[in-house]
Amino acid sequence: MRLPLRIAPFLLGLMLAACAGIEVNTHYDPKAVPQLESFRTYAWLPQPEGKDPRVYNDIIDSYIRQAVDQELQGRGYKQVEANANPDFRIGWQGAIDSKVDVSTVNSYYGYGWDPYWNPYYGGVGMPYTHVYEYEEGTIILDMVDAKANKLVWRGTAQAEVNENPSASTTQKRIGEAVDEMLSRFPPKAEK
């Protein structure tokens, strides 16, 4: 069996393991950190509208709101009506994009001596290229200062989306993404 064919399952396993996680980033206005720390009440902005029905529907909206409410209320924040003068408002956006990952491995480098495939004994290090197509989902959470009507904090989470996820899997992944984003809210003041 040729070396590239022997390592293909291993490489595919590594790539899938690398894609399984949720990548989270947050951005905030450093001047707003003292305000963010004093926020205690929040209200939701209206449900966003978008063109992709896989993202913009009542079910996904309820999953996101439920995950955010559970996390924030578990930390002492109180949800109020939009007309009750909340400290901040929360909105969300989402997308699903097609992605391609291309990996090339040359069997000449990094592997032990093999008399049948060693380049010094007549074998040639043939490259093996794997193309992996997948869909990546993104959730964006925005925290808006209600009094100034100004964006003060944004969290983004990106992860690979399974082809046909079950409702429970979708809800679990959204919950994980929201928990990871909100673990960074409110941000700590930079020194």
Side-chain angles (χ1 to χ4, degrees):
M1 181 184 253
R2 296 181 70 184
L3 186 58
L5 295 177
R6 288 189 278 179
I7 64 167
F10 174 73
L11 292 174
L12 184 59
L14 283 177
M15 285 185 355
L16 292 177
C19 294
I22 299 173
E23 183 181 329
V24 172
N25 291 300
T26 59
H27 303 281
Y28 59 91
D29 179 359
K31 294 180 271 182
V33 171
Q35 291 171 317
L36 290 168
E37 291 174 349
S38 68
F39 287 170
R40 291 291 159 239
T41 61
Y42 71 94
W44 280 96
L45 291 167
Q47 180 178 342
E49 294 182 19
K51 295 179 182 177
D52 191 341
R54 299 174 298 171
V55 176
Y56 294 101
N57 61 64
D58 292 339
I59 295 170
I60 298 299
D61 183 62
S62 70
Y63 289 165
I64 291 172
R65 288 175 186 249
Q66 180 182 4
V68 170
D69 289 343
Q70 182 177 347
E71 179 66 26
L72 289 180
Q73 290 170 13
R75 291 200 271 145
Y77 292 92
K78 182 180 177 188
Q79 181 180 0
V80 297
E81 294 297 321
N83 59 3
N85 295 324
D87 295 324
F88 65 102
R89 291 188 169 90
I90 303 174
W92 72 271
Q93 302 169 55
I96 297 177
D97 298 310
S98 295
K99 300 285 185 173
V100 176
D101 185 22
V102 179
S103 300
T104 301
V105 175
N106 188 335
S107 62
Y108 182 82
Y109 298 103
Y111 303 104
W113 181 83
D114 183 342
Y116 298 106
W117 297 105
N118 192 298
Y120 298 110
Y121 293 94
V124 177
M126 298 297 294
Y128 174 76
T129 300
H130 177 76
V131 177
Y132 179 64
E133 295 180 44
Y134 62 99
E135 290 187 320
E136 182 178 76
T138 302
I139 297 174
I140 299 171
L141 284 180
D142 289 334
M143 306 296 186
V144 178
D145 182 331
K147 291 176 182 61
N149 198 27
K150 178 183 171 190
L151 179 66
V152 291
W153 184 90
R154 172 171 278 179
T156 60
Q158 295 179 312
E160 182 177 346
V161 177
N162 295 333
E163 247 181 73
N164 294 311
S166 66
S168 62
T169 301
T170 300
Q171 187 173 18
K172 179 182 175 202
R173 294 287 281 173
I174 288 173
E176 291 170 352
V178 167
D179 288 350
E180 183 69 28
M181 281 187 281
L182 292 180
S183 71
R184 302 175 187 189
F185 178 81
K188 307 296 182 230
E190 294 180 7
K191 295 181 181 183

